Amino acid sequence: MQRRTCECGRDIWVQYRIQEGTCRPVFWSVTIQAGRKVHVCPSCGAFLHIDALH
């Protein structure tokens, strides 16, 4: 897993899953909702995309 940061400053864990030759990121909340997959930032509500995270 990698620790990345949303543009608002919120930390997000990124896990890369490889299935059938395809690698896709899965996002996890670092603090609030820890242990849950997230699709939007818990702080600002922005849609999470690997290229938008720092």
Side-chain angles (χ1 to χ4, degrees):
M1 277 199 187
Q2 290 182 342
R3 191 176 199 149
R4 298 280 186 108
T5 306
C6 179
E7 291 181 2
C8 73
R10 176 66 163 230
D11 288 328
I12 303 288
W13 284 112
V14 180
Q15 175 184 21
Y16 294 94
R17 290 200 177 158
I18 300 172
Q19 284 183 298
E20 300 174 10
T22 302
C23 181
R24 70 179 186 94
V26 178
F27 304 104
W28 302 84
S29 176
V30 172
T31 53
I32 298 175
Q33 302 171 335
R36 284 186 48 200
K37 294 181 204 175
V38 292
H39 301 285
V40 297
C41 176
S43 292
C44 70
F47 179 75
L48 296 174
H49 188 276
I50 192 64
D51 295 331
L53 299 176
H54 304 282

